[in-house]
Amino acid sequence: MGYDDLKTKMDALDPKDQTKFAEGLKDVAGGLEKATKGGKNALSTLKAGGLEKAMNSQKGCQVAAPSASPK
């Protein structure tokens, strides 16, 4: 389940019926947890494959050192 699916489910919730709204919200929360876990797993896989080292070697991906402020 992707974020678009979660947005669609969230938009479909009826706030006038608190019971159904709460049940639907639990479903959305569970889907959000699964989507977030999938993203974290994907990032871990990329890092394990050397992504961080590869990105740090690219000039545009390096963190610039702060410049000295004039006094």
Side-chain angles (χ1 to χ4, degrees):
M1 179 176 301
Y3 290 107
D4 287 337
D5 295 330
L6 294 172
K7 171 82 169 100
T8 301
K9 282 188 173 191
M10 190 69 196
D11 289 343
L13 295 178
D14 182 7
K16 294 176 186 172
D17 185 339
Q18 289 185 347
T19 303
K20 285 185 180 180
F21 184 84
E23 290 171 1
L25 200 55
K26 285 180 185 178
D27 185 42
V28 170
L32 182 58
E33 188 175 323
K34 287 178 185 176
T36 302
K37 184 178 179 183
K40 287 180 181 179
N41 289 344
L43 183 58
S44 294
T45 301
L46 287 171
K47 284 184 176 182
L51 174 70
E52 191 171 3
K53 184 178 178 182
M55 286 184 68
N56 287 336
S57 68
Q58 298 298 314
K59 186 174 182 175
C61 296
Q62 294 174 349
V63 177
S67 58
S69 57
K71 293 186 178 190

